[in-house]
Amino acid sequence: MNWLPRPAEGTAWVVPSLLSADFANLQADVADMTAAGADFLHLDVMDGHFVPNISFGPFICRFVRRISDLPLDAHLMISHADQYLAAFAEAGVDGLTIHIEAEAEIGPTLQRIGELGLKRGISLNPGTALDDILPWLDQVDLVLVMSVQPGFGGQKFNPVALDKIAELKQRRAAGGLDFLINVDGGINDQTGAECRAAGADVLVSGSWLFGATDRAERVALLRG
Ligand code: DX5
Ligand code: ZN
């Protein structure tokens, strides 16, 4: 198990989303992002059902595990996630994040993720009220606030995420909880700074980080 605690106040962990990587040169791209300072890797798993796009599953995660020692967080944008948890655990990821909108049985699924020895994450779409995930806050290691509708990289940041991040930070303190607050979608230097100011601990960025000529510079900008 490979993971990181909450970052220093005012800074964030910087997490490339491999959805924007060059899969014909994945090893080189991962090595380059690692040298640039990436703290985790974010693996976007899409099933063409929960979201209108298909990416990859445990098969590819296993190869990423072979080429990287960074903590791997798999963002499961899939229906019936409960059926695939063991396969992702065997593939060697460190955390599994499920969507509140995709799961009938959130409690047992989170519990199973924990039993597999993995970090438990819950995610919510821009249109989903924060209230919907409140019952699970004491049972997760991370909350992934979506700042775009999941399915594709390269979309525009939706500021509805900022209020959710701020409220999560308050509720975490009030409840004596310790989950990481992650944000995903449309993150660049400007939106990343807004998210850090609101209280985000982890910034996931795909197209902006991978599209950089100087990736180390952009990682440093996101870290704050
Ligand atoms: C969207 C994915 C994101 C996406 C981020 O469905 O969950 O992780 O790849 O990409 P950018 O940073 O390009 O919005
Ligand atoms: Zn994602």
Side-chain angles (χ1 to χ4, degrees):
M1 166 61 60
N2 221 348
W3 204 250
L4 291 169
R6 273 154 59 189
E9 191 70 24
T11 72
W13 300 125
V14 181
V15 184
S17 159
L18 292 192
L19 199 58
S20 293
D22 175 0
F23 272 69
N25 293 290
L26 191 57
Q27 189 166 13
D29 242 359
V30 165
D32 193 51
M33 272 301 178
T34 306
D39 297 300
F40 292 72
L41 295 176
H42 182 88
L43 300 166
D44 283 308
V45 176
M46 303 180 180
D47 67 353
H49 182 258
F50 176 65
V51 289
N53 194 9
I54 299 176
S55 59
F56 55 80
F59 180 79
I60 295 288
C61 294
R62 185 183 301 275
F63 287 101
V64 177
R65 175 77 296 158
R66 262 180 50 191
I67 61 173
S68 178
D69 294 326
L70 290 178
L72 303 181
D73 174 26
H75 175 193
L76 301 184
M77 290 164 273
I78 64 176
S79 305
H80 310 299
D82 52 305
Q83 296 176 15
Y84 302 97
L85 304 177
F88 282 102
E90 282 160 23
V93 304
D94 301 291
L96 286 174
T97 296
I98 59 171
H99 265 267
I100 183 82
E101 303 87 357
E103 285 300 322
E105 300 255 50
I106 296 291
T109 305
L110 290 172
Q111 191 181 339
R112 180 77 185 125
I113 293 171
E115 286 166 0
L116 287 164
L118 305 182
K119 297 293 182 183
R120 306 153 297 170
I122 193 157
S123 183
L124 76 168
N125 287 341
T128 301
L130 191 65
D131 284 0
D132 291 7
I133 67 159
L134 297 184
W136 314 109
L137 288 187
D138 62 351
Q139 294 165 52
V140 296
D141 302 294
L142 74 90
V143 176
L144 180 65
V145 177
M146 291 308 299
S147 37
V148 298
Q149 185 65 18
F152 301 92
Q155 304 182 74
K156 189 168 180 289
F157 179 81
N158 183 335
V160 73
L162 295 172
D163 288 343
K164 291 178 181 174
I165 291 167
E167 190 180 336
L168 280 167
K169 188 177 178 181
Q170 272 178 8
R171 287 185 179 274
R172 181 175 65 191
L177 302 171
D178 196 34
F179 52 81
L180 290 168
I181 302 172
N182 298 28
V183 58
D184 182 12
I187 297 295
N188 55 35
D189 51 348
Q190 193 188 328
T191 56
E194 290 171 25
C195 290
R196 276 198 316 274
D201 304 301
V202 178
L203 303 177
V204 177
S205 176
S207 49
W208 190 73
L209 275 185
F210 277 99
T213 352
D214 186 343
R215 290 172 173 174
E217 180 186 59
R218 288 201 175 174
V219 168
L221 281 170
L222 286 189
R223 179 160 288 118

